[in-house]
Structures are given as structure tokens and as C-alpha cells.
Amino acid sequence: MTDKTAKVGILMGSDSDIEVMKEAAARLEFFDVPYEMHISSAHRSPSRTHEYASNARGRGIEVLIVGAGAAAHLAGVVSAATTLPVIGVPLSGSALNGMDALLSTVQMPAGVPVASMAIGKAGAANAGIFAAQILAGSDARLADKLEAFKAELAEGVEAKDAKLQRELDD
Ligand code: RP5
């Protein structure tokens, strides 16, 4: 899926990553941030991955979200080929349950940054929110939506506590 107005590019190493990476897309949709989603691998399709990363800024993309599992080199390879901010999402999929991807994603050498999120769905969701936060630096309407989202988070916890107190009083 390529959206000509996309500001965020979501990239993942395999179709087996789609279900988790949809969490990032859902958050971008919630904040009305246009995005595109592609599969490209650091190891299986290195030329296409390099081409995508090196052309992204020129096409109007402002932030890249990159998910991969196992020997997750995708976010690092993408960061090596672009000056855009890259948010890495380590995915669970091998016998090591994502710890391999977490270390591969987070342990970047100085000079080639990847902002690493948590393993799996929470990480993918936070990647979408974090991308929106980066874009909100120059978008006051988006910043307002993020404020409202924070207020909703707090209201959700307060509602849960009120329910707990009612149950304890019974
Ligand atoms: C990584 O290896 C992918 O990002 C995926 O998470 C994992 C397994 O890929 P498949 O063998 O399912 O294609 O490169």
C-alpha cells in the first residue's frame, strides 16, 4: 500500500509480521496520520530495502517505523540509508521469543540511531504513537489530539479504579 500523502512509512521484514505491525497502523489512523505499509527484508531483498529507505525522505515520508523479528537487522539497515528518524519494533517469532530481535534492534553503533520500542504489539502501538508525537512538533492540531489521547488514558484508569472501589464496597 503506497499513499502519496504518506508521512509515515511502516516497513516489516515478512508477511508473518503484519498482524503485529497493524497495531502501529491503527494508532496512526486514530490520529489521522497518513501512512504507507510495505514488506521488505534486510536479508532477503537488500537492494529493494536500501532503495526504499534512501528514497523515503524525497517522497515526503517524515518518520519510518520498522518491525522485524529474529536477527532483526532491518531497522538498522534502514537507518544506515536515511536521515529520517527510524523507530524499531522488535518482533517475537523465533525460539528466542523476541529477545534476539530486541538486542538486534536496540544495540546500534553510535552514529546510526534507531529508537527502539518494546517487543510485539505494545511496541508496535507505541511506535505509531511516537511517530505521531514526532510529527506533532510541527502540527498543532496533532499535538491537541495527543493531549486528548493522554486525557482518555487517565480517564480509563480512573474508571477502572472506581469500578474496583464499588466491588470492594459490596
Ligand atoms: C524476520 O524473520 C522477519 O521480520 C520475521 O519476523 C522473521 C521470520 O520471517 P519469516 O520466515 O516468517 O518470513 O526477517
Side-chain angles (χ1 to χ4, degrees):
M1 157 201 178
T2 297
D3 177 344
K4 287 209 172 80
T5 68
K7 290 190 172 173
V8 177
I10 301 175
L11 201 62
M12 67 203 85
S14 171
D15 59 351
S16 59
D17 301 328
I18 292 171
E19 273 315 300
V20 175
M21 294 310 290
K22 277 183 181 168
E23 293 288 328
R27 300 306 174 127
L28 294 171
E29 279 169 27
F30 180 80
F31 291 117
D32 295 317
V33 173
Y35 68 93
E36 63 180 27
M37 236 173 157
H38 290 284
I39 296 168
S40 195
S41 168
H43 307 118
R44 293 167 174 156
S45 61
S47 303
R48 183 164 177 270
T49 295
H50 187 272
E51 189 185 330
Y52 179 84
S54 53
N55 292 335
R57 182 185 285 281
R59 293 193 301 104
I61 300 289
E62 296 181 38
V63 183
L64 290 164
I65 295 173
V66 183
H73 296 124
L74 187 58
V77 162
V78 166
S79 183
T82 182
T83 54
L84 292 174
V86 175
I87 306 169
V89 183
L91 303 177
S92 173
S94 75
L96 297 182
N97 294 322
M99 285 305 293
D100 41 2
L102 174 64
L103 296 177
S104 299
T105 304
V106 79
Q107 288 290 9
M108 290 300 296
V112 190
V114 170
S116 301
M117 299 289 119
I119 299 168
K121 284 191 173 183
N126 279 344
I129 298 165
F130 193 55
Q133 289 175 329
I134 292 170
L135 295 171
S138 58
D139 183 337
R141 276 186 54 201
L142 185 51
D144 288 346
K145 284 182 194 164
L146 284 158
E147 286 289 348
F149 169 69
K150 281 267 189 243
E152 276 172 34
L153 279 184
E155 283 163 19
V157 175
E158 283 163 30
K160 283 175 186 167
D161 184 52
K163 181 170 174 279
L164 172 64
Q165 298 314 313
R166 281 196 302 275
E167 286 166 5
L168 292 173
D169 287 345
D170 281 347

